[in-house]
Amino acid sequence: MAKRVLVVEDNELNLKLFCDLLRAHDFAVEPVRDGREAVERTRAFMPDLIVMDIQMPHVTGYELILELKADAALRHIPVMAVTAYAGREDEERIRTAGADAYVSKPITLARFIAAVGALV
């Protein structure tokens, strides 16, 4: 059975790229364009991994990671943060919130898939 990945990304081009890349590697993918829907969609889809953009309108990926990791039913799901934030303090803050991996944009396809593979 294919591993399930929830992709939370507000940028349509990035969302399409991540979903297409994951599907090409035989993952079942659930796209989420609005971070406000992420926790509810996580409960419904129960993914093996969440790929999370950090900088989004309405609610940040950082806030969503904190919310997911505070939920006993969801905290076991690994989160891979994908962000344009590239500072050392940003990565540290995001990992402290509970992200299991951190990939900076622009991504390389090989690095993205390797990071996904290390988490599922």
Side-chain angles (χ1 to χ4, degrees):
M1 175 158 19
K3 295 287 186 176
R4 301 159 67 84
V5 181
L6 185 90
V7 179
V8 184
E9 170 65 70
D10 66 305
N11 179 290
E12 282 295 325
L13 291 175
N14 287 339
L15 183 66
K16 180 172 177 14
L17 171 67
F18 298 158
C19 290
D20 288 351
L21 185 57
L22 289 163
R23 287 182 184 117
H25 285 84
D26 298 320
F27 290 95
V29 180
E30 178 74 13
V32 177
R33 289 168 183 78
D34 188 331
R36 295 173 293 187
E37 300 173 7
V39 174
E40 180 183 324
R41 299 275 290 280
T42 299
R43 283 192 184 96
F45 188 62
M46 289 309 288
D48 298 294
L49 172 66
I50 300 168
V51 174
M52 178 78 68
D53 183 23
I54 297 300
Q55 190 173 6
M56 296 183 289
H58 311 298
V59 60
T60 68
Y62 175 79
E63 294 165 328
L64 288 170
I65 292 168
L66 290 172
E67 186 175 347
L68 290 163
K69 295 303 179 176
D71 187 314
L74 305 177
R75 72 172 49 120
H76 72 281
I77 302 169
V79 176
M80 184 172 94
V82 182
T83 182
Y85 292 135
R88 175 188 224 129
E89 62 281 350
D90 293 317
E91 180 175 359
E92 205 170 289
R93 183 173 69 94
I94 291 164
R95 285 187 178 275
T96 299
D100 300 277
Y102 179 93
V103 178
S104 60
K105 294 176 187 174
I107 66 161
T108 64
L109 302 182
R111 190 173 53 145
F112 179 85
I113 288 299
V116 167
L119 294 170
V120 293

